[in-house]
Amino acid sequence: MLPKLPKKYPIRLLLVEVITRLWQSSTQRVMSITALGMTLALAADILVAAKLGATTLTDTLIIALTVPRIIEVVVRECSKFSLVSLLIEIKQKNAKIELFTFVSMLFNLGLVLGSLIMLCGWVFATPIIQLTGPGLSEPATTQAIFLFRISLPLALFAILSTVLSVFLNSQKHFTVTAARNMSMPTAIIVLIALNWQNSEVVSWIAAGHAIG
């Protein structure tokens, strides 16, 4: 709980004081960053809806992002309940060399696995899109395949960032991990703003998912 402030306190200084005290607490800092990330995600969704509207183009983008986003969610949720506890157990044994060796192995494995997923996704993009979007017209299917291939790096980055996040959580660096949720919506917002008048803005939105 925040300490009580004097009744006669300039509003600007009050805001600065509140933000400063919130930032000094690690728990409140993580909560603030998480809330900011969720706000940015909402803003990104609103911008995408405002720019694309309820059109076939929007459906095409959603279908193109379906598989990469599923991979991201599965990797993140599975690692949350398994790897974090394992790394904490290794850390408690004071085996720093073993810990860093294990994390390095996980990172290299993630790099190989993510690269294989990208390669398979690129090769089998057409049947994947036909399976996830059977109702799309031929031009929409072609565009969905293109957008799907643009967004494929999301699978690789999701695996690598998850390994790093798990390691940081085991070292109690929760603030950096919480900031991860801000990267994708921030990239999408920036790319939409820079390409608002661009007819290929949907490609930049897909790229924003991959970059973030």
Side-chain angles (χ1 to χ4, degrees):
M1 183 178 293
L2 295 174
K4 292 185 178 180
L5 297 171
K7 292 183 178 180
K8 293 183 179 180
Y9 208 79
I11 187 65
R12 185 180 62 180
L13 294 179
L14 176 62
L15 290 174
V16 171
E17 186 73 17
V18 169
I19 292 173
T20 301
R21 294 179 182 178
L22 282 175
W23 199 254
Q24 289 174 348
S25 168
S26 59
T27 302
Q28 293 172 336
R29 183 164 60 243
V30 170
M31 290 175 59
S32 300
I33 293 176
T34 302
L36 179 58
M38 295 175 68
T39 303
L40 288 172
L42 176 61
D45 289 341
I46 291 173
L47 278 178
V48 171
K51 182 58 182 175
L52 301 183
T55 62
T56 304
L57 190 58
T58 304
D59 296 336
T60 302
L61 177 64
I62 293 172
I63 290 170
L65 294 174
T66 298
V67 173
R69 293 303 299 269
I70 288 176
I71 294 173
E72 180 200 16
V73 171
V74 169
V75 169
R76 185 177 66 244
E77 294 303 318
C78 289
S79 63
K80 182 188 300 182
F81 299 105
S82 57
L83 292 179
V84 173
S85 58
L86 179 60
L87 291 186
I88 291 176
E89 182 179 347
I90 295 175
K91 180 185 176 183
Q92 289 174 344
K93 293 179 180 179
N94 295 320
K96 287 188 177 181
I97 296 178
E98 182 181 349
L99 175 62
F100 288 116
T101 301
F102 182 69
V103 172
S104 177
M105 182 188 68
L106 279 179
F107 190 86
N108 292 331
L109 179 63
L111 184 61
V112 173
L113 181 60
S115 299
L116 286 176
I117 291 175
M118 286 181 59
L119 179 60
C120 292
W122 186 277
V123 173
F124 299 104
T126 300
I128 289 173
I129 293 301
Q130 289 175 343
L131 180 64
T132 55
L136 292 178
S137 63
E138 185 175 345
T141 299
T142 302
Q143 187 170 32
I145 293 170
F146 175 70
L147 295 176
F148 172 73
R149 285 173 170 164
I150 290 177
S151 63
L152 275 176
L154 173 61
L156 173 62
F157 295 151
I159 295 174
L160 298 182
S161 63
T162 297
V163 173
L164 291 176
S165 297
V166 168
F167 172 69
L168 290 171
N169 279 334
S170 70
Q171 301 298 306
K172 298 184 179 180
H173 296 301
F174 303 113
T175 302
V176 179
T177 305
R180 171 193 175 189
N181 298 324
M182 298 169 54
S183 59
M184 182 183 293
T186 301
I188 294 171
I189 290 171
V190 170
L191 289 174
I192 291 177
L194 293 176
N195 296 277
W196 187 264
Q197 300 299 330
N198 191 336
S199 59
E200 298 297 326
V201 66
V202 66
S203 300
W204 289 103
I205 294 173
H209 282 81
I211 294 172

